[in-house]
Amino acid sequence: MLQVTDAVTELKGIGRQRAADLCKLGISTIEDLLHHYPYRYEDRSCLKPLRDMQEGDTETLWGTIVQAQDIYPRRGLKMLRVTVRCADGNAVLVWFNQNHLKSKLQPGLQIVATGKVGKGHVRQISVTDFELLEDEDDLSNFQRIVPIYRGTEKNSSKAIRRLIQQVFETGVESMTEYLPDAHLQQYHLLEYGQAVRQIHFPDDWQQLNWARHRLVLDEFLILLLGMQLHSLIEKKQGIAHAATEQLAARFFAQLPFSLTNAQKKVILEIKKDMEQEQAMKRLVQGDVGSGKTMVAVYTLLKAVSGGYQAVLMAPTEILAEQHYLNLKKMLEPLGIAPMLLTGSLTKKERESVYAAIADGSCPIAIGTHALIQKQVQFANLGAVVIDEQHRFGVRQRLALENKGRAPDVLVMTATPIPRSLALTLYGDMDLSIIDELPPGRQTIKTYCIGESKRQGLYGFLDEQIRAGYQVYIVCPLVEESEKMDLENATHLADHLAVNVYPQYTVGLLHGKMKPKEKAEIMEQFRSGAIQILVSTTVIEVGVDVPNANVMVIENAERFGLAQLHQLRGRVGRGASQAHCFLVAEPKTEEGKRRMAVMVKSSDGFVIAEEDLLLRGAGEVLGTRQHGLPDLKIADLVHDIKILEQSKQLAAQICQSGLEQPQYRQLREKAEAVYQRRLLLQEE
Ligand code: ADP
Ligand code: MG
């Protein structure tokens, strides 16, 4: 009997080399092997008769090799042609430019081959995948739904299948059920060992469905429990902030606008959280321009009014600086002076900020990652706000939180995360959504134009600038090297300044500039001294210049949807009609689709769903960065129903107490997955 924790080297036929090769697939134990699920299946249980095969379809046949010969249809093209006798006649299998194959395909051997059916009287199949049946092979293993695995050169799909077969034949000791019976019955779940067996060697398609359902549910469940396990431990007794709203009321009274209903709703949720003793953990999601900053300011003020310190962390220096300037101006009338902490302060400046944070004389600290340095010691931190959360990992969030004793935490993100992802990524947080833009915003008119329209575009920009507006022009990463990109952007800026718009000031902003230089350029743009700002993608996040109302995105087909949406969100922040030009000539279907989505929709959630469909979850958010463990079987796009079920079950389990003995194994699995998630983020 094998144990799931045994190394794969316990199996027959696995030496050091093969084991090392399996490692590349993430397989080192028996359990890893069993969790290496097939990526597709082939139904060989009822093979189609040759006469029913249609040209162009992919089919599988089974027969005995009669003859194999190399032929040369053209110079430089070698074709291996193998005649096979099947139950209802002969067929021909072909391979191209395969040198070593012929000697293996000996007459008399049985072969199962899959490929595309060609035309002609004699059935001809261009083989993509085949297996020889050897003497010791049990034919029953081939006349069934056969699993196909992701493999390597040394460990083919077939080799992996054999290993898994060997595991089941030998028997595995500890693959026991870990969900109590009651749950299995309630959700009509296949028993765990059964599910693992059926996912590899399904008896029929129905069994396969059930098996998949069970394993997907498990995967989500364990993920969710891992997060809940930790928020249970972490949701410490925190600070019950005072219920007075004086400071906030004074602040909002002096604003030139009133809050939107969505902002009010979210602020109320935060108020409730903060006045409670339990520490707040809340994620605010709001599309670009929805006014998340107001929500942040409320949170900061709420803490400050009770005598606590508060901190606001942003992912870039530009953004931190912008928040700082903004808040300084807005909070001045209240007699509150925030301080800025970024990496580009001088040593002396930095030390005086450290000192003010440590002795409590700094009420609000605003900054970048510099805030999580060791030297930063708060006197009494009461609230933490993290802007553009998707740029930070869980570790960084925790590092900032740990600067205080269970401070209230608010994280904000503009990446509209589809619900399924939000549940999985931030299952340990409460969710608030700002689902309304401030009034008077018009949708940004978006156009996709080709090179031929460039002159017209420049004419339009000229009109807009003469009318008093400002323009962003963004260049993407086009070349492999950053240097080349910089040259592109520099070249474009020079060209515009000299040849197209000598009458205007053209600024250039890129990632290689010193933070001070960047800040200066941004300041000139904000003040209107620069009319046209050419930039690489550094402006993507959070920058707010309401007077800029035209965004031009060069080579727009190079950007993903989420990024395009973020970039476009830089304009349309004032009351005037804003425009976005996607200069693109997309060649691929996907590229065309992306441009079409942008032209058609300005709703961040629609765009995010579309992005998820086009690219898949891992790509959309960057699996690593988010610490989303790679899901082995669950699919965030298609398995949402099962995810909801898992969520329900997780809640049920937590209610009856995850610490109960019947959940011991489940708890251990959840803990392990959670730890792995944190580890991934550290890399
Ligand atoms: P984001 O959610 O992208 O961070 P900001 O907080 O930067 O959005 O707000 C975008 C712009 O909208 C800012 O110029 C801000 O002053 C303005 N704004 C915020 N709330 C309102 C409101 N209720 N009414 C009008 N304008 C608002
Ligand atoms: Mg913002």
Side-chain angles (χ1 to χ4, degrees):
M1 274 291 221
L2 293 159
Q3 300 287 329
V4 284
T5 49
D6 283 347
V8 280
T9 43
E10 295 292 312
L11 294 171
K12 275 193 293 254
I14 300 279
R16 278 242 304 280
Q17 273 195 352
R18 264 191 85 185
D21 187 61
L22 281 171
C23 234
K24 288 188 212 144
L25 294 170
I27 300 171
S28 47
T29 64
I30 299 295
E31 184 163 40
D32 298 335
L33 184 63
L34 290 174
H35 286 172
H36 189 72
Y37 300 124
Y39 70 92
R40 70 182 178 90
Y41 300 84
E42 253 172 45
D43 193 348
R44 297 177 189 167
S45 59
C46 50
L47 297 180
K48 216 177 235 180
L50 294 179
R51 61 175 177 279
D52 291 346
M53 292 185 182
Q54 300 285 332
E55 183 186 330
D57 287 351
T58 295
E59 299 287 2
T60 299
L61 61 73
W62 171 29
T64 310
I65 297 175
V66 178
Q67 182 192 41
Q69 63 186 141
D70 283 323
I71 56 175
Y72 299 85
R74 280 205 307 278
R75 254 178 85 86
L77 185 67
K78 182 165 144 186
M79 186 166 111
L80 173 62
R81 217 170 165 273
V82 175
T83 310
V84 175
R85 189 170 60 247
C86 303
D88 65 333
N90 282 4
V92 172
L93 304 177
V94 298
W95 284 263
F96 291 98
N97 294 331
Q98 287 277 354
N99 279 330
H100 310 290
L101 212 52
K102 191 176 154 211
S103 59
K104 284 193 201 154
L105 302 178
Q106 293 296 328
L109 290 179
Q110 299 221 38
I111 188 169
V112 177
T114 303
K116 206 172 213 178
V117 180
K119 42 179 174 254
H121 195 56
V122 174
R123 283 296 164 215
Q124 179 168 310
I125 289 187
S126 304
V127 179
T128 49
D129 194 21
F130 77 98
E131 268 172 45
L132 288 174
L133 277 53
E134 285 150 39
D135 285 346
E136 74 265 29
D137 280 332
D138 179 356
L139 277 188
S140 67
N141 279 329
F142 293 88
Q143 279 183 292
R144 54 161 26 258
I145 299 172
V146 177
I148 313 291
Y149 299 92
R150 200 161 51 84
T152 64
E153 191 129 354
K154 284 202 191 71
N155 288 284
S156 63
S157 167
K158 178 179 173 182
I160 290 171
R161 184 187 317 140
R162 289 213 174 147
L163 289 177
I164 293 175
Q165 223 168 331
Q166 196 190 128
V167 171
F168 285 127
E169 275 160 16
T170 319
V172 209
E173 177 87 62
S174 37
M175 214 173 48
T176 46
E177 180 57 66
Y178 53 86
L179 282 182
D181 238 14
H183 296 319
L184 296 187
Q185 291 193 358
Q186 187 188 357
Y187 291 91
H188 308 289
L189 298 176
L190 210 56
E191 188 265 328
Y192 177 68
Q194 205 44 24
V196 174
R197 184 179 274 272
Q198 289 293 326
I199 201 79
H200 291 289
F201 298 105
D203 289 339
D204 53 46
W205 294 105
Q206 182 61 56
Q207 288 287 333
L208 178 58
N209 270 340
W210 283 334
R212 192 174 177 281
H213 187 276
R214 164 74 207 250
L215 296 174
V216 170
L217 184 120
D218 279 24
E219 192 162 39
F220 283 137
L221 180 69
I222 286 167
L223 200 62
L224 291 169
L225 288 177
M227 288 187 284
Q228 284 182 11
L229 205 57
H230 279 259
S231 57
L232 282 182
I233 297 166
E234 281 171 16
K235 243 190 194 164
K236 302 166 229 165
Q237 291 301 85
I239 304 155
H241 290 277
T244 56
E245 296 283 278
Q246 269 188 25
L247 210 49
R250 270 169 64 203
F251 170 74
F252 288 126
Q254 52 140 37
L255 286 177
F257 48 76
S258 50
L259 296 176
T260 63
N261 285 330
Q263 283 170 320
K264 284 186 199 155
K265 179 193 72 187
V266 172
I267 284 175
L268 208 63
E269 287 166 343
I270 294 171
K271 174 177 156 65
K272 268 199 209 132
D273 278 2
M274 289 186 75
E275 288 171 9
Q276 264 178 24
E277 175 112 29
Q278 207 179 42
M280 168 170 79
K281 277 181 191 295
R282 187 167 283 281
L283 171 71
V284 173
Q285 234 185 70
D287 209 345
V288 278
S290 61
K292 291 185 292 297
T293 311
M294 290 300 130
V295 169
V297 173
Y298 172 82
T299 309
L300 302 172
L301 286 180
K302 180 99 182 157
V304 169
S305 69
Y308 288 94
Q309 290 171 293
V311 62
L312 170 60
M313 181 163 78
T316 65
E317 294 211 356
I318 289 186
L319 193 53
E321 176 128 346
Q322 176 182 290
H323 276 316
Y324 169 70
L325 292 174
N326 225 338
L327 265 64
K328 193 166 98 155
K329 208 163 62 201
M330 291 193 290
L331 299 180
E332 209 157 42
L334 306 180
I336 297 171
M339 295 179 110
L340 179 67
L341 183 66
T342 64
S344 59
L345 297 187
T346 63
K347 186 158 182 268
K348 216 169 121 205
E349 288 168 329
R350 212 163 31 217
E351 261 152 23
S352 82
V353 178
Y354 289 154
I357 289 177
D359 68 18
S361 62
C362 165
I364 295 176
I366 299 171
T368 55
H369 304 79
L371 288 164
I372 42 187
Q373 301 295 314
K374 258 204 326 287
Q375 295 91 326
V376 179
Q377 305 261 0
F378 285 86
N380 60 344
L381 182 61
V384 170
V385 180
I386 301 179
D387 195 14
E388 309 295 349
Q389 150 80 6
H390 62 288
R391 293 293 184 97
F392 295 104
V394 175
R395 286 260 167 196
Q396 288 166 316
R397 188 185 100 202
L398 292 178
L400 192 58
E401 281 177 49
N402 288 336
K403 301 267 175 198
R405 285 208 350 260
D408 284 328
V409 177
L410 184 76
V411 302
M412 312 197 292
T413 181
T415 309
I417 307 168
R419 205 179 142 61
S420 60
L421 275 182
L423 269 174
T424 344
L425 290 173
Y426 304 110
D428 54 344
M429 297 203 149
D430 298 309
L431 186 64
S432 291
I433 300 181
I434 308 184
D435 50 5
E436 177 188 7
L437 293 181
R441 295 277 165 81
Q442 291 154 0
T443 43
I444 303 164
K445 287 201 173 137
T446 303
Y447 323 82
C448 180
I449 60 172
E451 266 315 309
S452 60
K453 301 265 174 66
R454 191 173 282 280
Q455 285 316 314
L457 170 65
Y458 286 162
F460 180 82
L461 298 186
D462 187 40
E463 273 169 37
Q464 292 291 309
I465 298 171
R466 267 189 288 155
Y469 299 115
Q470 290 162 282
V471 174
Y472 289 107
I473 301 181
V474 179
C475 303
L477 293 168
V478 176
E479 309 292 339
E480 285 307 307
S481 84
E482 230 178 299
K483 191 161 153 266
M484 289 290 286
D485 285 320
L486 189 53
E487 278 171 19
N488 277 334
T490 314
H491 182 79
L492 180 62
D494 288 347
H495 169 68
L496 291 174
V498 175
N499 303 321
V500 189
Y501 299 117
Q503 70 275 38
Y504 300 133
T505 308
V506 178
L508 175 66
L509 193 67
H510 58 77
K512 278 271 185 300
M513 288 162 78
K514 295 218 178 71
K516 268 243 155 62
E517 296 172 318
K518 276 194 236 172
E520 263 162 40
I521 295 283
M522 272 323 287
E523 191 40 52
Q524 287 176 37
F525 190 57
R526 219 173 268 135
S527 72
I530 288 176
Q531 287 88 42
I532 302 174
L533 184 63
V534 176
S535 149
T536 57
T537 49
V538 288
I539 61 156
E540 185 194 341
V541 160
V543 172
D544 186 33
V545 180
N547 192 51
N549 78 340
V550 186
M551 164 73 58
V552 178
I553 305 176
E554 299 282 347
N555 293 94
E557 76 276 6
R558 309 265 176 157
F559 291 100
L561 273 175
Q563 215 181 359
L564 287 172
H565 181 66
Q566 282 275 329
L567 284 170
R568 181 171 61 180
R570 299 305 110 220
V571 296
R573 304 191 144 228
S576 68
Q577 176 62 57
H579 304 268
C580 174
F581 294 87
L582 307 170
V583 184
E585 278 166 358
K587 305 247 158 25
T588 63
E589 277 311 306
E590 205 207 293
K592 285 180 192 152
R593 173 113 197 103
R594 265 184 280 139
M595 296 306 117
V597 170
M598 287 301 293
V599 169
K600 197 177 64 201
S601 177
S602 54
D603 182 331
F605 281 90
V606 171
I607 290 172
E609 296 283 354
E610 197 59 56
D611 204 21
L612 196 61
L613 281 177
L614 281 174
R615 287 196 299 158
E619 283 285 306
V620 170
L621 288 157
T623 305
R624 289 253 142 161
Q625 193 184 1
H626 281 266
L628 178 68
D630 41 328
L631 295 168
K632 284 190 163 43
I633 189 164
D635 175 328
L636 284 165
V637 180
H638 299 105
D639 292 327
I640 293 186
K641 280 227 173 72
I642 309 182
L643 174 58
E644 298 286 349
Q645 258 185 19
S646 307
K647 213 188 166 214
Q648 203 182 331
L649 178 55
Q652 223 174 316
I653 290 174
C654 287
Q655 196 152 41
S656 50
L658 192 52
E659 69 288 345
Q660 294 204 16
Q662 82 252 37
Y663 295 130
R664 186 183 54 83
Q665 268 180 295
L666 191 56
R667 205 167 56 229
E668 283 167 7
K669 278 179 198 277
E671 184 61 39
V673 166
Y674 190 86
Q675 290 304 336
R676 212 175 99 75
R677 181 180 171 203
L678 286 186
L679 271 179
L680 274 179
Q681 286 194 325
E682 278 206 325
E683 278 170 9

